Amino acid sequence: MRFTIERIRTLVLAAGVLLVVALGVFLAIGRFRSTFNRRDIPKRLGIDIEQEANGVTYTQAHGGHTLFKIHASKVVQLKNDMAQLHDVEIELYGADGSRVDRIQGDEFQYDQKEGTATAAGQVEMTLMRPGPAGAPGATGKTPPPKSSAAPGSQPAANEIHVETSGITFDQKSGVLTTAQKVDFSSGEGSGSSMGAMYDADQGFLVLEHAVELTTRRAQGREPVEIHADRASFERDANLCNLLEARADYRGGHASARQAQILFRNDGSAVRLEATEGFTMATAGGSHLAAPTGAMDFDQRNQPQHGHLEGGVTMDSVSDGRTVRGSSPAMELEFTPQGELRHAHLERGVELESETASQGAGQSALARVNRTWRSPVADIEFRSASGRGPGNVEPATIHGFGGVVITATSQSGSGAPAHSRLTADEVDGEFASGSVLKHLAGAGHASLEEIAPTGSRQVATGDNLDAQFAPPSKTANAGGSGVQVQSAVLTGRVALTETPAPGARLTAPIQAWAGKAVYDDAGQWLHLTASPRIENGEAQIAADKIDLSRQLNQAFAHGNVKATYFPPAGQDSANAEDAGAATLGGRAPTHIVAADAEMNQSTGTATFRGHARLWQLANSISAPEIVLDRERQMLSARATSAADPVTAVLLSTASAIAPAGEQSGLKPGESGGRNMSRGAGASVSAPAVIRVRGGAFTYSDAEHRAVMRGGVLQRVTVQTSTATSTSNQVELLLMPGEPQSAAESAGLAQGAPGQARVDRMTASGDVTLTSQGRIGTGDKLVYSGASGDYVLTGSANAPPRMSDPLRGSVTGAALIFHSRDDSVSIEGGAQETETVTRAPK
C-alpha cells in the first residue's frame, strides 16, 4: 500500500492556520479588553484627548513603550453613561512596543453602566501573526510598518486579516460574541465561520459552526479545504479542537469525528489526536482508518511519530493491484523530511493483496491473492519511484510470533493453485509496486503447495528462503503455476507429495534431507545432506537427489541405496503380479549403485555404476540395472567384457545329494543306459546357480529370466556340480512361498518368500563341464526338481560327452544326474555310441 504522509500533514497545517488566526485574535481582543477595563475612558477621553485636524487620538504608554492607541474621527458622550466613537482605529502594541495589531470599525458604543462594548457595523482586524523570535512579525526592537492591505486584498505573509460584524464584548464576563459571519485570511489561506465566541478570562475561542478554511500546503500547490462543524481554541494550553473535521484536497481527503491539536507558541503543531473515528483516503484509491489516532510533529510541522489504536484498517487499489490490511494497533515512524519510513503493527496483523495481470500473448487473466497473518509485523518503507514527493511504498516486512502466508493463483477460469508458508519468524522484501519478491523464514518453517491438478506438496524444515516470481512472469507462464520462483529449505527437511486424485500413483511421496533447493524453472527440487525419498513402494537414499515435477523424473547421485517393498497383501495368491519387477520373491528388494534415474511417467528406474540388486539370496550385479514397473520387467546390461552382468540365484534342488550305490556302463555292453565313475560317490547338489553374460532380462509376470551373451558373446552358468557356456540361457523361477508353505514344501535353504530357479535352458553352442567331463550340444536343460541336466543336439550334430577316464559317449540326449554323478544316454531313433579307454 502506498501511503502519502502529506495527507496527514494537510489537516494539521490547515488547523495550524486556524490556530494562528485564533492566537492573533486572542492578542487583539485581550488588549482590546484591557483598554476597556478602564471604566473612566469617557472621562479620560475628555481630559487626555489630543485634538487633531482629523479627529481625536488617545495614547497610553508604560515604561517608555506605547501600549495602545485609539484614534476616532469623533467621540460623543451620550446619556446613561454611554459613549460612542466613530471611524475608530485601534492600534495594539506588544510589551516592548514592537508588535502592532489594528482594529478598524465604523462605530463603537461603550455602555459604562453595563460594561459592554458593541460594534454594530463592519469590523476589520489586521493582526500580526505570532511567531518565534526573529520571524516576521515577531518580537523585536523595531515595529513593522503599518499595513497597507486594503480590505479584501491578500494580506502580507506575516499578517492575519479578519472581517466580521455585530461584535458584543461583555467586560464583566470577559466574553466577546458575534452571531454573524466571520471571515479571516492570511498568507497561507482564508476561511470563515458562522458565529464566534471568545472568553477573554479563560482564553477560549469558539467558532460556532460551518467552519471553512482554504489553504495551500506549499507555494504553487493545489488548495486544501478544511470543513468542521465546530472549532475551539484554548489560548493558554495552545489547543485546537475540531468537531466533525474534514480536509479535502486534490489527492484525497481526511476526516476525524473529533480532533485535538496541540501547538507551540509559534503556531507549529506538537501533537494531533483524533478520536471517535479517523479516516484518510487518496484519489488513487488508498484508505486508512482507525477509531483513534495520534501523531507527533517537529517545529517544521513534519511528523515524527504516529500511533493508531482500536482496530486499524488499510486498503489500496492501483495498477490492477488491491491491498488490504488490518491490525488492532499501529506505530508509525517518519524521516526528518516527514516521509513514512517504519510501521509497527501488533496484536494480530493481517495483510492481503490481490493482483490481476495479463502477459504478452496471453488471453487469460492471471489472478494472484496473498495473505499475511502474524501477531506482530514491522514494515520499512521507501520513496515510491515515479509517484511524486511524499509517496512511499513498503520495502521490507518482518513478522514474528508465528507467521502464516497464503497465496492463491488462477489463470482465467482454470483451477486455482494454492500455497501456504509458515515460520516462527519471517522477513520479506518487496519489489517496486509493493510486489512481494523474497521471503526468509526461521524456526519451524513449512511450505505447502496445491497444484491445479489437485496434487499437494508439503515441505518443512528449520529455515526457509523463497524468491517469488513477478506477476508479469506468472502471466506469461499461464498463471496456473506456483508463485514460488525458488526456495531453499535447510535443517531437518521433510517433504511430502500427495498425487492428484485419479493419478496412476496414489501413494504419497515423502522425502527427508538436510537441505532442499527448489527451482521453478523445470520445477526442480534438489535434496542434499543425506537425502532419502519414499513413495510406499520404494525407498531411495543417496548423496544427492534431484526431482523434477515438470519432467516427472528423479535423479540420485552418489552412494545410491534403494529398497523396493512388496505390495501390501502380496502373500495372497493374486498379489504376485503387483508392484515393481523384482526377482519373483516375496520380500524387499535392495539395490546399490553410483547413480539412479527414476521416471514416474514410464514407471522405470535405472541404476548405473557398479549396480547390484538382491532379494533374499538372489542377486544381480551389472553396470546398469533397469526396473520397469509398467511392464513388470527387470533388465541389466554390460557395457564391456571386463564388467559383465552376474546373476546369483537359488535353485529348487536339495542341498545335499544322498550317498548310494552307483552303477556304470560296462565296457562293450551294447545299449548301456548310464555312465558312472564308481559306486559310493556322494556329491553336493547345485543349490546356487551363478549366471554371467552381457544382457539380462526378467519378466515378473512370466517368472522368466533370459541371459544373453551381449558384449561378452557367451553366457556362463556355474553350479556346485557343473559349468556351462552358451549363447543364451533361459531360467524359469518358482515364485516365493509364504512362511508356512515354504516349511511344508521342505524348502529349508533360504528364507521364506525366496524365489528359486525351477528350470534352466541353455541354447546355442552349449558346452557343459563337470568333474572333468566335457559335454557339447545345441541345448542344455536343467531341472531343479530332479537335479538333472539334459544335453541335446541335432541329427547332424548329436550331443557328446567325453570323460578322461571313461572315454566319450553320444546319443539323442545325454542326461547328467547331479545327485549321483551319473550320466544316462537316450538313443531314441538314433544309435548311441560309447568309446571307452582302458585304465592305465
Side-chain angles (χ1 to χ4, degrees):
M1 175 184 291
R2 293 186 176 88
F3 296 91
T4 310
I5 194 57
E6 286 291 321
R7 316 309 187 206
I8 300 176
R9 296 183 58 213
T10 295
L11 183 60
V12 177
L13 294 177
V17 175
L18 285 174
L19 181 66
V20 169
V21 173
L23 292 177
V25 174
F26 294 158
L27 294 174
I29 300 301
R31 296 171 193 148
F32 190 59
R33 184 200 180 200
S34 298
T35 302
F36 283 99
N37 275 341
R38 300 292 301 274
R39 293 178 177 270
D40 58 347
I41 281 181
K43 294 180 180 180
R44 293 183 60 83
L45 287 174
I47 298 173
D48 301 325
I49 291 176
E50 178 183 346
Q51 189 68 37
E52 299 177 355
N54 59 347
V56 295
T57 300
Y58 171 73
T59 302
Q60 180 172 321
H62 177 75
H65 297 293
T66 301
L67 299 180
F68 64 86
K69 182 188 293 183
I70 300 176
H71 175 80
S73 63
K74 183 179 181 181
V75 178
V76 178
Q77 180 69 51
L78 304 176
K79 298 179 180 181
N80 302 324
D81 296 327
M82 296 287 291
Q84 189 176 70
L85 287 73
H86 294 274
D87 298 328
V88 179
E89 180 177 297
I90 304 173
E91 296 180 356
L92 305 172
Y93 293 83
D96 57 359
S98 62
R99 183 189 299 273
V100 59
D101 296 327
R102 294 178 179 86
I103 302 175
Q104 294 174 303
D106 294 336
E107 182 178 295
F108 285 82
Q109 278 191 353
Y110 177 66
D111 188 333
Q112 184 176 357
K113 182 178 180 180
E114 298 295 332
T116 60
T118 302
Q122 190 78 9
V123 175
E124 296 182 4
M125 304 179 188
T126 302
L127 314 173
M128 302 306 297
R129 63 178 296 173
T139 300
K141 293 184 178 181
T142 304
K146 179 177 179 179
S147 173
S148 60
S153 63
Q154 181 69 25
N158 61 339
E159 292 180 349
I160 300 170
H161 190 72
V162 181
E163 292 184 6
T164 187
S165 62
I167 292 178
T168 298
F169 177 70
D170 190 327
Q171 179 185 348
K172 297 177 181 179
S173 64
V175 174
L176 181 148
T177 61
T178 180
Q180 304 303 311
K181 184 179 181 181
V182 179
D183 294 303
F184 48 86
S185 61
S186 69
E188 289 84 358
S190 60
S192 65
S193 71
M194 288 302 297
M197 185 276 290
Y198 173 63
D199 188 330
D201 289 335
Q202 301 296 324
F204 190 70
L205 174 66
V206 176
L207 302 179
E208 294 293 353
H209 56 89
V211 181
E212 296 182 0
L213 172 68
T214 300
T215 185
R216 296 178 183 273
R217 288 175 287 158
Q219 186 68 29
R221 297 288 184 89
E222 294 294 329
V224 177
E225 294 183 359
I226 301 281
H227 304 271
D229 287 356
R230 190 171 186 267
S232 63
F233 303 88
E234 299 178 34
R235 179 190 59 197
D236 296 336
N238 278 0
L239 280 178
C240 171
N241 293 280
L242 301 173
L243 181 64
E244 297 292 352
R246 176 185 174 94
D248 293 299
Y249 38 86
R250 183 177 182 181
H253 65 268
S255 63
R257 177 70 178 83
Q258 290 187 0
Q260 184 181 79
I261 309 173
L262 174 64
F263 291 88
R264 298 178 180 86
N265 290 332
D266 62 0
S268 61
V270 177
R271 183 175 177 84
L272 164 67
E273 294 185 355
T275 58
E276 298 187 29
F278 169 73
T279 62
M280 284 178 52
T282 67
S286 299
H287 297 83
L288 174 68
T292 62
M295 189 168 295
D296 298 323
F297 297 84
D298 63 14
Q299 290 185 338
R300 296 179 295 115
N301 281 324
Q302 298 286 11
Q304 294 178 309
H305 175 79
H307 175 77
L308 300 175
E309 186 73 37
V312 185
T313 60
M314 301 163 285
D315 62 86
S316 173
V317 179
S318 63
D319 301 331
R321 180 179 179 83
T322 301
V323 180
R324 290 182 292 271
S326 64
S327 174
M330 178 187 291
E331 299 287 336
L332 304 174
E333 300 293 340
F334 301 87
T335 66
Q337 292 73 34
E339 289 189 349
L340 180 62
R341 276 298 175 263
H342 178 80
H344 175 78
L345 297 83
E346 59 183 24
R347 302 200 297 272
V349 182
E350 182 169 337
L351 303 173
E352 182 181 1
S353 68
E354 295 180 2
T355 303
S357 59
Q358 192 170 13
Q362 297 291 330
S363 58
L365 188 66
R367 296 178 176 86
V368 179
N369 177 282
R370 289 194 180 96
T371 301
W372 168 296
R373 294 183 179 90
S374 64
V376 180
D378 288 284
I379 306 175
E380 298 293 333
F381 294 86
R382 62 169 174 257
S383 298
S385 177
R387 295 289 179 177
N391 287 276
V392 297
E393 62 184 7
T396 62
I397 184 170
H398 173 75
F400 57 92
V403 182
V404 178
I405 303 171
T406 60
T408 300
S409 62
Q410 185 178 20
S411 178
S413 59
H418 306 278
S419 63
R420 184 175 187 268
L421 185 149
T422 64
D424 294 343
E425 189 171 348
V426 173
D427 287 287
E429 183 179 356
F430 295 89
S432 179
S434 305
V435 177
L436 183 64
K437 72 173 184 178
H438 174 247
L439 281 179
H444 303 93
S446 70
L447 177 62
E448 178 181 357
E449 297 174 348
I450 301 177
T453 59
S455 63
R456 178 173 175 265
Q457 283 190 332
V458 179
T460 62
D462 294 338
N463 300 287
L464 172 66
D465 192 286
Q467 296 283 346
F468 289 86
S472 58
K473 182 176 180 180
T474 303
N476 291 331
S480 60
V482 178
Q483 297 305 302
V484 178
Q485 188 175 30
S486 64
V488 178
L489 199 60
T490 57
R492 298 176 294 181
V493 178
L495 304 100
T496 301
E497 180 174 357
T498 304
R504 180 179 58 83
L505 296 178
T506 58
I509 300 175
Q510 294 179 289
W512 299 267
K515 181 179 181 180
V517 178
Y518 173 78
D519 186 356
D520 190 53
Q523 297 185 11
W524 282 99
L525 179 64
H526 308 284
L527 304 177
T528 55
S530 304
R532 175 170 55 95
I533 61 174
E534 183 176 331
N535 66 352
E537 295 181 355
Q539 184 183 93
I540 298 176
D543 294 339
K544 180 182 179 182
I545 299 177
D546 301 320
L547 301 97
S548 173
R549 294 179 62 190
Q550 187 178 76
L551 302 176
N552 215 14
Q553 288 181 285
F555 300 87
H557 308 282
N559 297 312
V560 178
K561 301 177 181 66
T563 299
Y564 286 82
F565 302 99
Q570 198 183 47
D571 284 345
S572 65
N574 297 326
E576 61 186 31
D577 60 346
T582 53
L583 288 176
R586 299 186 180 183
T589 300
H590 308 281
I591 308 175
V592 294
D595 298 286
E597 176 183 342
M598 286 71 68
N599 191 318
Q600 289 189 2
S601 299
T602 61
T604 60
T606 303
F607 298 84
R608 298 184 179 92
H610 304 290
R612 180 172 180 267
L613 177 151
W614 70 95
Q615 184 185 52
L616 298 176
N618 294 337
S619 66
I620 302 289
S621 60
E624 179 181 283
I625 297 176
V626 179
L627 302 181
D628 190 330
R629 183 185 185 280
E630 293 292 329
R631 299 167 57 195
Q632 298 183 42
M633 296 284 292
L634 181 153
S635 62
R637 70 183 183 91
T639 56
S640 68
D643 193 5
V645 179
T646 302
V648 179
L649 308 170
L650 290 186
S651 74
T652 56
S654 301
I656 302 296
E661 196 73 24
Q662 310 291 333
S663 59
L665 178 65
K666 296 179 181 180
E669 182 177 358
S670 175
R673 302 298 299 167
N674 52 49
M675 180 178 180
S676 174
R677 291 197 171 184
S682 178
V683 296
S684 299
V688 177
I689 300 176
R690 292 177 172 85
V691 186
R692 185 178 63 179
F696 178 87
T697 59
Y698 171 75
S699 171
D700 207 38
E702 300 174 353
H703 305 296
R704 174 176 173 267
V706 177
M707 179 76 83
R708 295 178 175 84
V711 294
L712 275 72
Q713 298 183 355
R714 300 284 287 171
V715 178
T716 301
V717 179
Q718 186 178 25
T719 68
S720 60
T721 57
T723 301
S724 68
T725 61
S726 59
N727 294 336
Q728 176 179 300
V729 171
E730 179 182 293
L731 304 104
L732 293 179
L733 275 69
M734 181 180 293
E737 297 289 343
Q739 175 78 30
S740 57
E743 293 176 349
S744 61
L747 302 176
Q749 187 171 356
Q754 175 74 63
R756 301 165 185 269
V757 176
D758 183 56
R759 184 182 183 88
M760 181 191 75
T761 301
S763 58
D765 193 15
V766 178
T767 299
L768 176 66
T769 302
S770 176
Q771 302 294 322
R773 302 185 188 93
I774 300 176
T776 59
D778 289 336
K779 184 178 181 179
L780 175 67
V781 178
Y782 164 77
S783 173
S786 63
D788 293 342
Y789 294 87
V790 179
L791 183 63
T792 59
S794 64
N796 297 328
R800 178 178 295 274
M801 180 174 289
S802 61
D803 189 315
L805 298 179
R806 301 297 184 183
S808 63
V809 62
T810 185
L814 302 180
I815 304 172
F816 171 57
H817 305 281
S818 62
R819 291 195 173 108
D820 59 7
D821 196 26
S822 64
V823 178
S824 297
I825 304 98
E826 292 185 356
Q830 298 178 347
E831 295 183 352
T832 61
E833 178 184 352
T834 303
V835 179
T836 62
R837 295 185 180 89
K840 295 182 180 180

